[in-house]
Amino acid sequence: YEYDREATNRLRAGINVRNRFIGIDETVKTKFDLHVIKGDYQFNAWKTDTLELGLMLGIYGATIKSSVEATGGGVSESIDDFVPMPLLGVRITNALTDKLSVSTSFQYFAAEIDDWSGSLQEFWFGVDYKFWKNLGAGVSYDLIAGELEDKDRSGRNGKFNLDFSSVYFYGKLYF
């Protein structure tokens, strides 16, 4: 996942950034980049001929870059951190026919680092079709929601909410 935002605005009220004041009517440039990669292992805990219940363990790795720069006051602050976060999840797959199946999964992780806390939840639903024994394709819907918050608020005002969804088309190789 990648979430990048950048803006330049004139302040209507003064703000504190790491105990440095940026006054009203100053122009402020802000940037926030979040890049997340995921690796997971899925284990079938329970299985019948048509239904599978799987557990998921893995890790998300997030690179967080953020900066605030005031053109008039000489204030320039930034962070650049990599945060590894464990993930837990559950997956259910139901084979409707020999070739057609539907799956859903839910994944969650949370972390607290220094003055920051955050969590991310991912809900996924997909439909797969096997053309042949080892080759298939699918379409899925992915909904991701999360937040990152400054816990002590000392010199910062920070709460970031992330909500987005996507539709994916993909190929599958079975072995």
Side-chain angles (χ1 to χ4, degrees):
Y1 318 121
E2 185 173 317
Y3 186 82
D4 299 330
R5 294 291 179 259
E6 188 171 334
T8 301
N9 287 304
R10 184 172 295 278
L11 293 179
R12 289 184 247 166
I15 60 172
N16 282 312
V17 177
R18 292 190 178 165
N19 295 321
R20 296 173 72 188
F21 185 74
I22 303 173
I24 193 168
D25 288 330
E26 288 196 53
T27 301
V28 175
K29 181 178 179 181
T30 59
K31 187 173 184 179
F32 182 85
D33 295 337
L34 174 67
H35 300 248
V36 179
I37 59 170
K38 175 181 82 167
D40 65 48
Y41 176 75
Q42 300 179 19
F43 170 75
N44 286 334
W46 182 72
K47 184 176 180 178
T48 69
D49 289 340
T50 60
L51 193 65
E52 293 179 2
L53 173 64
L55 302 176
M56 302 165 75
L57 294 172
I59 190 164
Y60 281 93
T63 300
I64 302 168
K65 295 180 182 179
S66 180
S67 64
V68 176
E69 182 180 340
T71 56
V75 175
S76 180
E77 295 288 341
S78 65
I79 62 168
D80 186 350
D81 288 323
F82 176 77
V83 182
M85 296 166 279
L87 101 90
L88 298 172
V90 63
R91 177 186 50 81
I92 299 172
T93 301
N94 186 9
L96 302 175
T97 69
D98 288 343
K99 294 185 176 265
L100 184 66
S101 65
V102 294
S103 299
T104 189
S105 70
F106 177 77
Q107 300 171 28
Y108 175 82
F109 75 80
E112 289 191 23
I113 298 170
D114 295 328
D115 296 335
W116 296 91
S117 67
S119 65
L120 186 72
Q121 303 86 41
E122 180 177 5
F123 171 78
W124 179 87
F125 176 81
V127 177
D128 296 339
Y129 185 80
K130 277 187 179 180
F131 299 110
W132 297 283
K133 180 180 178 182
N134 296 321
L135 185 65
V139 61
S140 68
Y141 174 77
D142 196 13
L143 173 65
I144 297 171
E147 76 176 26
L148 181 64
E149 184 174 10
D150 179 6
K151 294 185 303 184
D152 73 358
R153 302 215 179 249
S154 61
R156 296 183 295 245
N157 293 318
K159 185 168 185 177
F160 171 75
N161 291 309
L162 171 70
D163 295 303
F164 68 91
S165 59
S166 300
V167 174
Y168 298 101
F169 297 94
Y170 52 88
K172 288 187 88 168
L173 183 61
Y174 300 92
F175 55 92

